[in-house]
Each structure stands twice: as structure tokens, then as C-alpha cells.
Coordinates of all heavy atoms in Angstrom, one line a residue:
M1 N 0.8 -1.2 0.0 CA 0.0 0.0 0.0 C 0.8 1.3 0.0 O 0.4 2.3 -0.3 CB -0.9 0.0 1.2 CG -2.0 -1.0 1.2 SD -3.3 -0.6 0.0 CE -3.6 -2.1 -0.8
R2 N 2.1 1.1 0.4 CA 3.0 2.3 0.4 C 3.6 2.4 -1.0 O 4.5 1.6 -1.3 CB 4.0 2.2 1.5 CG 3.4 2.2 2.8 CD 4.6 2.1 3.8 NE 4.0 2.1 5.2 CZ 4.5 2.8 6.2 NH1 5.5 3.6 6.0 NH2 3.9 2.7 7.3
G3 N 3.3 3.3 -1.7 CA 3.9 3.5 -3.0 C 4.1 5.0 -3.2 O 4.3 5.7 -2.2
T4 N 4.1 5.4 -4.4 CA 4.3 6.8 -4.7 C 3.1 7.6 -4.2 O 2.0 7.2 -4.6 CB 4.5 7.0 -6.2 OG1 5.5 6.1 -6.7 CG2 4.8 8.4 -6.5
P5 N 3.3 8.6 -3.5 CA 2.1 9.4 -3.0 C 1.4 10.0 -4.2 O 2.1 10.5 -5.1 CB 2.7 10.4 -2.1 CG 4.1 10.5 -2.3 CD 4.5 9.1 -3.0
Q6 N 0.1 10.0 -4.2 CA -0.7 10.6 -5.3 C -0.9 12.0 -5.0 O -1.1 12.5 -3.9 CB -2.0 9.9 -5.4 CG -1.9 8.4 -5.8 CD -3.2 7.8 -6.1 OE1 -4.2 8.5 -6.1 NE2 -3.2 6.5 -6.4
R7 N -0.8 12.8 -6.1 CA -1.0 14.2 -6.0 C -2.5 14.5 -6.0 O -3.3 13.8 -6.7 CB -0.4 15.0 -7.1 CG 1.1 15.0 -7.1 CD 1.7 15.9 -8.2 NE 1.2 15.4 -9.5 CZ 1.1 16.2 -10.5 NH1 1.3 17.5 -10.4 NH2 0.7 15.7 -11.7
K8 N -2.9 15.5 -5.2 CA -4.3 15.9 -5.2 C -4.6 16.7 -6.5 O -3.8 17.6 -6.8 CB -4.6 16.8 -4.0 CG -4.9 16.0 -2.8 CD -6.3 15.5 -2.7 CE -6.5 14.9 -1.4 NZ -7.9 14.5 -1.2
R9 N -5.6 16.4 -7.2 CA -5.9 17.1 -8.4 C -7.0 18.2 -8.1 O -7.9 17.9 -7.3 CB -6.6 16.1 -9.4 CG -7.1 16.6 -10.6 CD -7.5 15.5 -11.5 NE -8.5 14.7 -10.9 CZ -9.2 13.7 -11.4 NH1 -8.9 13.4 -12.7 NH2 -10.1 13.0 -10.8
T10 N -6.8 19.3 -8.6 CA -7.8 20.4 -8.3 C -9.1 20.0 -9.0 O -9.0 19.6 -10.2 CB -7.2 21.8 -8.8 OG1 -7.0 21.7 -10.2 CG2 -6.0 22.2 -8.1
P11 N -10.2 20.2 -8.3 CA -11.5 19.9 -9.0 C -11.7 20.7 -10.2 O -11.3 21.9 -10.3 CB -12.5 20.2 -7.9 CG -11.7 20.2 -6.6 CD -10.3 20.6 -7.0
R12 N -12.3 20.1 -11.2 CA -12.7 20.8 -12.4 C -13.9 21.6 -12.2 O -14.7 21.4 -11.3 CB -12.8 19.8 -13.5 CG -11.5 19.1 -13.8 CD -11.7 18.1 -14.9 NE -10.4 17.5 -15.2 CZ -9.9 16.4 -14.7 NH1 -10.5 15.7 -13.8 NH2 -8.7 15.9 -15.1
N13 N -14.2 22.6 -13.1 CA -15.4 23.4 -13.2 C -15.6 24.2 -11.9 O -16.7 24.3 -11.4 CB -16.6 22.5 -13.5 CG -16.5 21.8 -14.8 OD1 -16.3 22.5 -15.8 ND2 -16.5 20.5 -14.8
Q14 N -14.5 24.7 -11.4 CA -14.6 25.5 -10.1 C -15.6 26.7 -10.3 O -16.3 27.0 -9.3 CB -13.2 26.0 -9.7 CG -12.3 25.0 -9.2 CD -12.8 24.4 -7.9 OE1 -13.6 25.0 -7.2 NE2 -12.4 23.2 -7.5
D15 N -15.6 27.3 -11.5 CA -16.6 28.4 -11.6 C -18.0 28.0 -11.5 O -18.8 28.7 -10.9 CB -16.3 29.1 -13.0 CG -16.3 28.2 -14.1 OD1 -16.2 27.0 -14.0 OD2 -16.3 28.7 -15.3
V16 N -18.3 26.8 -12.1 CA -19.7 26.3 -12.0 C -20.0 25.9 -10.6 O -21.1 26.3 -10.1 CB -19.9 25.1 -12.9 CG1 -21.3 24.5 -12.8 CG2 -19.7 25.5 -14.4
R17 N -19.1 25.2 -9.9 CA -19.4 24.8 -8.5 C -19.5 26.1 -7.6 O -20.4 26.1 -6.7 CB -18.2 24.0 -8.0 CG -18.1 22.6 -8.8 CD -16.8 21.9 -8.4 NE -16.5 20.8 -9.2 CZ -17.0 19.6 -9.1 NH1 -17.7 19.3 -8.0 NH2 -16.6 18.6 -9.9
A18 N -18.7 27.1 -7.9 CA -18.8 28.3 -7.1 C -20.1 29.1 -7.3 O -20.7 29.6 -6.4 CB -17.6 29.3 -7.4
A19 N -20.6 29.0 -8.6 CA -21.9 29.7 -8.9 C -23.0 29.0 -8.2 O -23.9 29.7 -7.6 CB -22.1 29.7 -10.4
I20 N -23.0 27.7 -8.1 CA -24.0 26.9 -7.4 C -24.0 27.2 -6.0 O -25.0 27.5 -5.3 CB -23.9 25.4 -7.7 CG1 -24.2 25.1 -9.2 CG2 -24.8 24.6 -6.8 CD1 -23.8 23.7 -9.6
A21 N -22.8 27.2 -5.4 CA -22.7 27.4 -3.9 C -23.0 28.9 -3.6 O -23.7 29.2 -2.6 CB -21.3 27.1 -3.5
G22 N -22.5 29.8 -4.5 CA -22.8 31.2 -4.2 C -24.2 31.6 -4.3 O -24.6 32.6 -3.6
A23 N -25.0 30.9 -5.1 CA -26.4 31.2 -5.2 C -27.2 30.5 -4.1 O -28.4 30.6 -4.0 CB -26.9 30.7 -6.6
G24 N -26.5 29.7 -3.3 CA -27.2 29.0 -2.2 C -28.0 27.8 -2.7 O -29.0 27.5 -2.0
L25 N -27.7 27.2 -3.8 CA -28.4 26.1 -4.4 C -27.8 24.8 -4.1 O -26.7 24.7 -3.7 CB -28.5 26.3 -5.9 CG -29.1 27.6 -6.4 CD1 -29.0 27.7 -7.9 CD2 -30.6 27.7 -5.9
R26 N -28.6 23.7 -4.3 CA -28.1 22.4 -4.2 C -27.9 21.8 -5.6 O -28.6 22.2 -6.5 CB -29.2 21.5 -3.5 CG -29.7 22.0 -2.2 CD -28.7 21.6 -1.1 NE -29.3 22.0 0.2 CZ -28.6 22.0 1.3 NH1 -27.3 21.8 1.2 NH2 -29.1 22.4 2.4
H27 N -26.9 21.0 -5.7 CA -26.6 20.4 -7.0 C -27.8 19.7 -7.6 O -28.1 19.8 -8.8 CB -25.4 19.4 -7.0 CG -24.1 20.1 -6.9 ND1 -23.6 20.6 -5.7 CD2 -23.2 20.4 -7.9 CE1 -22.4 21.1 -6.0 NE2 -22.2 21.0 -7.3
W28 N -28.6 19.0 -6.8 CA -29.8 18.3 -7.3 C -30.8 19.2 -7.8 O -31.6 18.9 -8.8 CB -30.3 17.2 -6.4 CG -31.0 17.7 -5.1 CD1 -30.4 18.0 -3.9 CD2 -32.4 18.0 -5.0 NE1 -31.4 18.4 -3.0 CE2 -32.6 18.4 -3.6 CE3 -33.5 17.9 -5.8 CZ2 -33.8 18.8 -3.1 CZ3 -34.7 18.2 -5.3 CH2 -34.9 18.6 -4.0
W29 N -30.9 20.4 -7.3 CA -31.9 21.4 -7.8 C -31.5 21.8 -9.2 O -32.3 21.9 -10.1 CB -32.0 22.6 -6.9 CG -32.5 22.4 -5.5 CD1 -33.1 21.3 -5.1 CD2 -32.5 23.3 -4.5 NE1 -33.5 21.4 -3.8 CE2 -33.1 22.7 -3.4 CE3 -32.0 24.6 -4.3 CZ2 -33.3 23.3 -2.1 CZ3 -32.2 25.2 -3.1 CH2 -32.8 24.6 -2.0
V30 N -30.2 22.0 -9.4 CA -29.7 22.4 -10.7 C -29.9 21.3 -11.7 O -30.3 21.5 -12.9 CB -28.2 22.8 -10.6 CG1 -27.7 23.2 -12.0 CG2 -28.0 24.0 -9.7
A31 N -29.7 20.1 -11.3 CA -29.9 18.9 -12.1 C -31.3 18.8 -12.6 O -31.6 18.6 -13.8 CB -29.4 17.6 -11.4
E32 N -32.3 19.0 -11.7 CA -33.7 19.0 -12.0 C -34.0 20.1 -13.0 O -34.8 19.8 -13.9 CB -34.6 19.1 -10.8 CG -34.7 17.8 -10.0 CD -35.8 17.9 -9.0 OE1 -36.5 18.9 -8.9 OE2 -36.0 16.8 -8.3
E33 N -33.5 21.2 -12.8 CA -33.7 22.3 -13.7 C -33.2 22.0 -15.1 O -33.8 22.4 -16.1 CB -33.0 23.6 -13.2 CG -33.3 24.8 -14.0 CD -34.7 25.4 -13.9 OE1 -35.4 25.0 -13.0 OE2 -35.1 26.2 -14.7
L34 N -32.1 21.3 -15.2 CA -31.6 20.8 -16.5 C -32.3 19.6 -17.1 O -32.1 19.3 -18.2 CB -30.1 20.5 -16.3 CG -29.2 21.7 -16.0 CD1 -27.8 21.2 -15.6 CD2 -29.1 22.6 -17.2
G35 N -33.1 18.9 -16.3 CA -33.8 17.8 -16.7 C -32.9 16.5 -16.7 O -33.2 15.6 -17.5
I36 N -31.9 16.5 -15.8 CA -31.1 15.3 -15.7 C -31.0 14.8 -14.3 O -31.5 15.6 -13.4 CB -29.6 15.6 -16.2 CG1 -29.0 16.8 -15.4 CG2 -29.6 16.0 -17.7 CD1 -27.6 17.1 -15.8
A37 N -30.5 13.7 -14.1 CA -30.3 13.1 -12.7 C -29.2 13.8 -12.0 O -28.2 14.3 -12.7 CB -30.1 11.6 -12.8
C38 N -29.2 13.9 -10.7 CA -28.2 14.5 -9.9 C -26.8 13.8 -10.2 O -25.8 14.5 -10.3 CB -28.5 14.5 -8.4 SG -27.3 15.2 -7.4
G39 N -26.8 12.5 -10.3 CA -25.6 11.8 -10.5 C -25.0 12.1 -11.9 O -23.8 12.2 -12.0
T40 N -25.9 12.4 -12.8 CA -25.4 12.8 -14.2 C -24.7 14.1 -14.1 O -23.6 14.3 -14.7 CB -26.6 12.8 -15.2 OG1 -27.2 11.6 -15.2 CG2 -26.1 13.2 -16.5
L41 N -25.3 15.1 -13.4 CA -24.6 16.4 -13.2 C -23.3 16.2 -12.5 O -22.3 16.8 -13.0 CB -25.5 17.3 -12.5 CG -24.9 18.7 -12.2 CD1 -24.6 19.4 -13.5 CD2 -25.8 19.5 -11.3
S42 N -23.3 15.4 -11.5 CA -22.0 15.2 -10.7 C -20.9 14.6 -11.6 O -19.8 15.0 -11.6 CB -22.3 14.2 -9.5 OG -21.1 14.0 -8.9
N43 N -21.3 13.6 -12.4 CA -20.4 12.9 -13.3 C -19.9 13.9 -14.4 O -18.7 13.9 -14.7 CB -21.0 11.7 -14.0 CG -21.2 10.6 -13.1 OD1 -20.6 10.5 -12.0 ND2 -22.1 9.7 -13.5
R44 N -20.7 14.8 -14.9 CA -20.3 15.7 -15.9 C -19.4 16.8 -15.3 O -18.5 17.3 -16.0 CB -21.5 16.5 -16.5 CG -22.3 15.6 -17.4 CD -23.5 16.3 -18.0 NE -24.3 15.4 -18.9 CZ -25.4 15.8 -19.4 NH1 -25.9 17.0 -19.3 NH2 -26.1 14.9 -20.2
L45 N -19.5 17.1 -14.0 CA -18.7 18.1 -13.4 C -17.3 17.5 -13.1 O -16.4 18.3 -12.8 CB -19.3 18.6 -12.1 CG -20.5 19.5 -12.3 CD1 -21.1 19.9 -11.0 CD2 -20.2 20.8 -13.2
R46 N -17.1 16.3 -13.3 CA -15.8 15.6 -13.0 C -14.8 15.9 -14.1 O -13.6 15.9 -13.9 CB -15.9 14.1 -12.8 CG -16.6 13.8 -11.6 CD -16.7 12.3 -11.4 NE -17.5 12.0 -10.3 CZ -18.1 10.8 -10.1 NH1 -17.9 9.8 -10.9 NH2 -18.8 10.6 -9.0
R47 N -15.3 16.2 -15.3 CA -14.4 16.6 -16.4 C -14.8 18.0 -16.8 O -15.9 18.5 -16.5 CB -14.6 15.7 -17.6 CG -16.0 15.7 -18.2 CD -16.1 15.0 -19.5 NE -17.5 14.9 -20.0 CZ -18.2 16.0 -20.5 NH1 -17.6 17.1 -20.7 NH2 -19.4 15.8 -20.9
E48 N -13.8 18.7 -17.4 CA -14.1 20.1 -17.8 C -15.2 20.2 -18.8 O -15.2 19.5 -19.8 CB -12.8 20.7 -18.4 CG -12.9 22.2 -18.4 CD -13.1 22.9 -17.1 OE1 -12.5 22.4 -16.1 OE2 -13.8 23.9 -17.0
L49 N -16.2 21.0 -18.5 CA -17.3 21.1 -19.5 C -17.0 22.0 -20.7 O -16.1 22.9 -20.6 CB -18.5 21.8 -18.7 CG -19.1 21.0 -17.6 CD1 -20.2 21.9 -16.9 CD2 -19.8 19.8 -18.0
S50 N -17.6 21.7 -21.8 CA -17.4 22.5 -23.0 C -18.1 23.9 -22.6 O -18.9 24.0 -21.8 CB -18.1 21.9 -24.2 OG -19.5 22.0 -24.0
P51 N -17.7 24.9 -23.4 CA -18.3 26.3 -23.1 C -19.8 26.2 -23.3 O -20.5 26.9 -22.5 CB -17.7 27.1 -24.2 CG -16.4 26.5 -24.5 CD -16.6 25.0 -24.4
E52 N -20.4 25.4 -24.2 CA -21.8 25.4 -24.3 C -22.5 24.7 -23.1 O -23.5 25.2 -22.6 CB -22.2 24.6 -25.6 CG -21.7 25.3 -26.9 CD -20.3 25.0 -27.2 OE1 -19.7 24.0 -26.7 OE2 -19.7 25.8 -28.0
E53 N -21.9 23.6 -22.7 CA -22.4 22.9 -21.5 C -22.3 23.8 -20.2 O -23.3 23.9 -19.4 CB -21.7 21.6 -21.2 CG -21.9 20.5 -22.2 CD -21.0 19.3 -22.0 OE1 -19.8 19.5 -21.8 OE2 -21.5 18.2 -22.1
K54 N -21.2 24.5 -20.1 CA -21.0 25.3 -19.0 C -22.0 26.5 -18.9 O -22.6 26.8 -17.9 CB -19.6 25.9 -19.0 CG -19.2 26.6 -17.7 CD -17.7 27.0 -17.8 CE -16.9 25.7 -17.5 NZ -15.5 26.0 -17.2
Q55 N -22.3 27.0 -20.1 CA -23.3 28.1 -20.2 C -24.7 27.6 -19.9 O -25.4 28.3 -19.2 CB -23.3 28.8 -21.6 CG -24.1 30.0 -21.7 CD -23.6 31.1 -20.7 OE1 -22.4 31.4 -20.6 NE2 -24.5 31.6 -19.9
E56 N -25.0 26.4 -20.3 CA -26.3 25.8 -20.0 C -26.5 25.6 -18.5 O -27.6 26.0 -17.9 CB -26.4 24.5 -20.7 CG -27.8 23.8 -20.5 CD -27.9 22.4 -21.2 OE1 -26.9 22.0 -21.8 OE2 -28.9 21.8 -21.1
V57 N -25.5 25.1 -17.8 CA -25.5 25.0 -16.4 C -25.6 26.3 -15.7 O -26.4 26.5 -14.7 CB -24.3 24.1 -15.8 CG1 -24.3 24.1 -14.3 CG2 -24.3 22.7 -16.4
L58 N -24.8 27.3 -16.1 CA -24.9 28.6 -15.5 C -26.2 29.3 -15.7 O -26.7 30.0 -14.8 CB -23.7 29.5 -16.0 CG -22.3 29.0 -15.5 CD1 -21.2 29.8 -16.2 CD2 -22.1 29.0 -14.0
D59 N -26.8 29.1 -16.8 CA -28.1 29.6 -17.1 C -29.2 29.0 -16.1 O -30.0 29.7 -15.6 CB -28.6 29.4 -18.5 CG -27.8 30.3 -19.5 OD1 -27.2 31.3 -19.1 OD2 -27.9 30.0 -20.7
A60 N -29.1 27.7 -15.9 CA -30.0 27.0 -15.0 C -29.8 27.6 -13.6 O -30.8 27.8 -12.9 CB -29.8 25.5 -15.0
V61 N -28.5 27.8 -13.2 CA -28.3 28.4 -11.8 C -28.9 29.7 -11.7 O -29.5 30.1 -10.7 CB -26.7 28.4 -11.6 CG1 -26.4 29.2 -10.3 CG2 -26.2 27.0 -11.5
R62 N -28.7 30.6 -12.7 CA -29.3 31.9 -12.7 C -30.8 31.9 -12.6 O -31.4 32.6 -11.8 CB -28.8 32.7 -14.0 CG -29.3 34.1 -14.0 CD -29.0 34.8 -15.3 NE -29.3 34.1 -16.5 CZ -30.5 33.9 -17.0 NH1 -31.5 34.4 -16.4 NH2 -30.6 33.1 -18.1
Q63 N -31.4 31.0 -13.4 CA -32.9 30.9 -13.4 C -33.4 30.5 -12.1 O -34.4 31.0 -11.5 CB -33.4 30.0 -14.5 CG -33.2 30.5 -15.9 CD -33.4 29.4 -17.0 OE1 -33.7 28.3 -16.7 NE2 -33.3 29.8 -18.2
L64 N -32.8 29.5 -11.5 CA -33.2 29.0 -10.2 C -33.0 30.1 -9.1 O -33.8 30.2 -8.2 CB -32.4 27.8 -9.8 CG -32.9 26.4 -10.3 CD1 -31.9 25.3 -10.0 CD2 -34.2 26.1 -9.6
A65 N -31.9 30.8 -9.1 CA -31.6 31.8 -8.2 C -32.7 32.9 -8.2 O -33.1 33.4 -7.2 CB -30.2 32.4 -8.4
E66 N -33.0 33.3 -9.5 CA -34.1 34.3 -9.6 C -35.4 33.8 -9.1 O -36.2 34.5 -8.5 CB -34.2 34.7 -11.1 CG -33.1 35.5 -11.6 CD -33.1 35.7 -13.1 OE1 -34.1 35.2 -13.8 OE2 -32.2 36.3 -13.7
R67 N -35.7 32.5 -9.4 CA -37.0 32.0 -9.0 C -37.1 31.8 -7.5 O -38.2 32.0 -6.9 CB -37.3 30.6 -9.7 CG -38.7 30.1 -9.5 CD -38.9 28.9 -10.3 NE -37.7 28.4 -10.9 CZ -37.6 27.4 -11.7 NH1 -38.6 26.8 -12.2 NH2 -36.4 27.0 -12.2
L68 N -36.0 31.4 -6.8 CA -36.1 31.1 -5.4 C -35.8 32.4 -4.6 O -36.0 32.4 -3.4 CB -35.1 30.0 -5.1 CG -35.4 28.7 -5.6 CD1 -34.3 27.7 -5.3 CD2 -36.7 28.2 -5.2
G69 N -35.3 33.4 -5.2 CA -35.0 34.6 -4.4 C -33.6 34.6 -3.9 O -32.8 33.7 -4.1
D70 N -33.3 35.7 -3.2 CA -31.9 35.9 -2.6 C -31.8 35.1 -1.4 O -32.5 35.3 -0.4 CB -31.8 37.4 -2.3 CG -30.4 37.8 -1.8 OD1 -29.5 36.9 -1.9 OD2 -30.2 38.9 -1.3
P71 N -30.8 34.1 -1.4 CA -30.6 33.3 -0.2 C -30.0 34.1 1.0 O -30.2 33.7 2.1 CB -29.6 32.2 -0.7 CG -28.9 32.8 -1.8 CD -29.9 33.8 -2.5
A72 N -29.5 35.2 0.7 CA -28.9 36.0 1.8 C -30.0 36.7 2.6 O -29.8 37.2 3.7 CB -28.0 37.1 1.3
A73 N -31.2 36.9 2.0 CA -32.3 37.5 2.7 C -33.6 36.6 2.6 O -34.6 36.9 2.0 CB -32.6 38.9 2.0
P74 N -33.5 35.5 3.3 CA -34.7 34.6 3.3 C -35.9 35.2 4.1 O -35.7 36.0 5.0 CB -34.2 33.4 4.0 CG -33.1 33.8 4.9 CD -32.5 35.0 4.2
R75 N -37.1 34.8 3.7 CA -38.2 35.2 4.4 C -38.2 34.5 5.8 O -37.8 33.4 6.0 CB -39.5 34.7 3.6 CG -39.7 35.6 2.4 CD -40.9 35.1 1.7 NE -40.5 34.5 0.5 CZ -41.2 33.7 -0.2 NH1 -42.5 33.4 0.1 NH2 -40.8 33.1 -1.3
P76 N -38.8 35.2 6.8 CA -38.8 34.6 8.1 C -39.5 33.3 8.2 O -40.6 33.1 7.6 CB -39.5 35.6 9.0 CG -39.5 36.9 8.2 CD -39.4 36.5 6.7
G77 N -38.9 32.3 8.7 CA -39.4 31.0 8.9 C -39.4 30.1 7.7 O -40.0 29.0 7.7
V78 N -38.8 30.6 6.6 CA -38.8 29.8 5.3 C -37.4 29.5 5.0 O -36.6 30.4 4.6 CB -39.5 30.6 4.2 CG1 -39.5 29.7 2.9 CG2 -41.0 30.9 4.5
T79 N -37.0 28.2 5.0 CA -35.7 27.8 4.6 C -35.5 27.8 3.1 O -36.6 27.8 2.4 CB -35.3 26.5 5.2 OG1 -36.2 25.5 4.7 CG2 -35.4 26.5 6.7
L80 N -34.3 27.7 2.6 CA -34.1 27.6 1.2 C -34.7 26.3 0.7 O -35.3 26.3 -0.4 CB -32.6 27.6 0.9 CG -32.2 27.7 -0.6 CD1 -32.8 28.9 -1.2 CD2 -30.7 27.7 -0.7
E81 N -34.6 25.2 1.4 CA -35.3 24.0 1.0 C -36.8 24.1 0.9 O -37.4 23.6 0.0 CB -34.9 22.8 2.0 CG -33.4 22.4 1.9 CD -32.5 23.3 2.7 OE1 -32.9 24.2 3.4 OE2 -31.3 23.0 2.6
A82 N -37.4 24.8 1.9 CA -38.8 25.0 1.9 C -39.3 25.9 0.7 O -40.3 25.7 0.1 CB -39.3 25.6 3.2
R83 N -38.4 26.8 0.3 CA -38.8 27.7 -0.8 C -38.9 26.9 -2.1 O -39.7 27.3 -3.0 CB -37.7 28.8 -1.0 CG -37.9 30.0 0.0 CD -37.1 31.1 -0.4 NE -35.9 31.0 0.4 CZ -34.8 31.7 0.2 NH1 -34.7 32.5 -0.8 NH2 -33.8 31.6 1.0
A84 N -38.2 25.8 -2.2 CA -38.3 25.0 -3.4 C -39.7 24.3 -3.5 O -40.1 23.9 -4.6 CB -37.2 23.9 -3.4
T85 N -40.4 24.2 -2.4 CA -41.7 23.6 -2.5 C -42.9 24.6 -2.5 O -44.0 24.2 -2.5 CB -41.9 22.7 -1.3 OG1 -41.9 23.5 -0.1 CG2 -40.8 21.6 -1.2
I86 N -42.6 25.9 -2.6 CA -43.7 26.9 -2.6 C -44.4 26.8 -4.0 O -43.8 26.8 -5.0 CB -43.1 28.3 -2.4 CG1 -42.5 28.4 -1.0 CG2 -44.1 29.3 -2.6 CD1 -41.7 29.7 -0.8
P87 N -45.7 26.7 -4.0 CA -46.5 26.6 -5.2 C -46.2 27.8 -6.1 O -46.0 28.9 -5.6 CB -47.9 26.5 -4.7 CG -47.9 26.1 -3.3 CD -46.6 26.6 -2.8
G88 N -46.2 27.5 -7.4 CA -46.0 28.6 -8.3 C -44.6 28.9 -8.6 O -44.3 29.8 -9.4
R89 N -43.7 28.1 -8.1 CA -42.3 28.3 -8.3 C -41.8 27.5 -9.4 O -40.6 27.4 -9.7 CB -41.5 28.0 -7.0 CG -41.7 28.9 -5.9 CD -41.0 30.2 -6.1 NE -41.1 31.1 -4.9 CZ -40.4 32.1 -4.8 NH1 -39.6 32.6 -5.7 NH2 -40.5 32.8 -3.7
G90 N -42.6 26.7 -10.1 CA -42.2 25.9 -11.2 C -41.7 24.5 -10.9 O -41.1 23.9 -11.7
W91 N -41.9 24.1 -9.6 CA -41.4 22.8 -9.2 C -42.4 21.8 -9.5 O -43.0 21.1 -9.2 CB -40.9 22.8 -7.8 CG -39.7 23.6 -7.6 CD1 -39.6 24.9 -7.4 CD2 -38.3 23.2 -7.8 NE1 -38.3 25.4 -7.3 CE2 -37.5 24.3 -7.6 CE3 -37.7 22.0 -8.0 CZ2 -36.2 24.3 -7.6 CZ3 -36.4 22.0 -8.1 CH2 -35.6 23.1 -7.9

């Protein structure tokens, strides 16, 4: 088991991951917005996305963030998870 130590690889698609986290979203929410499974999104983020794929994911993040509102200013008593279940939000 003792061999050459493996180098840590920097995760790919840092800008996409930062956009999702910065918007206060969950990966599975973005996956649903894209119409794919959460595992599929996770697998795709393991390799560098093409500019078209990256733009599609960033557009989904923007649309979700607009629909769910500003996570920095939540309504009293309503968590971000609960906001996803509010009727009329397109879920």
C-alpha cells in the first residue's frame, strides 16, 4: 500500500461549482432544472465542461436563483429547502 504518493488534483469546473454554492443552491436542484439526474450532473462536473455545457448549467443556476430569491435575505421561517416547495415556483 505504500507507493508513490498521489497528488491531489484540483477539482474541475470550479466556476460552475462556485456559482451553485454562491447562489445557495443544491446540485440536485440544478440537475432537475436541467432535466437530468443529480448523478449525471455530478459525473459531468468531473471533467471540464465545454463552453456550451458550462453556459447551460450557469443559465440554470441563474434561473433557479431568480425563482427562489436571494438566499442572503430569506423570508422569516422559510428555509431555502422549503422555498423549493412553494407553489407557483415551477417545481
Side-chain angles (χ1 to χ4, degrees):
M1 293 284 138
R2 292 180 186 227
T4 308
Q6 294 186 5
R7 290 186 301 150
K8 281 275 187 179
R9 176 175 54 175
T10 57
R12 294 175 174 97
N13 300 302
Q14 286 294 338
D15 52 344
V16 174
R17 295 172 193 270
I20 293 170
L25 301 175
R26 306 277 186 199
H27 282 84
W28 69 269
W29 294 351
V30 177
E32 278 192 3
E33 184 72 16
L34 292 168
I36 59 176
C38 181
T40 302
L41 177 62
S42 177
N43 289 340
R44 287 183 183 174
L45 291 177
R46 290 180 188 163
R47 62 170 175 76
E48 195 61 38
L49 296 173
S50 71
E52 296 82 20
E53 290 174 315
K54 193 172 281 196
Q55 189 58 49
E56 183 181 1
V57 174
L58 292 174
D59 287 344
V61 169
R62 182 185 45 77
Q63 290 170 357
L64 275 171
E66 288 173 2
R67 193 172 10 188
L68 296 177
D70 183 13
R75 288 182 250 162
V78 180
T79 64
L80 187 59
E81 289 83 2
R83 279 190 263 170
T85 62
I86 296 173
R89 294 284 189 170
W91 291 89

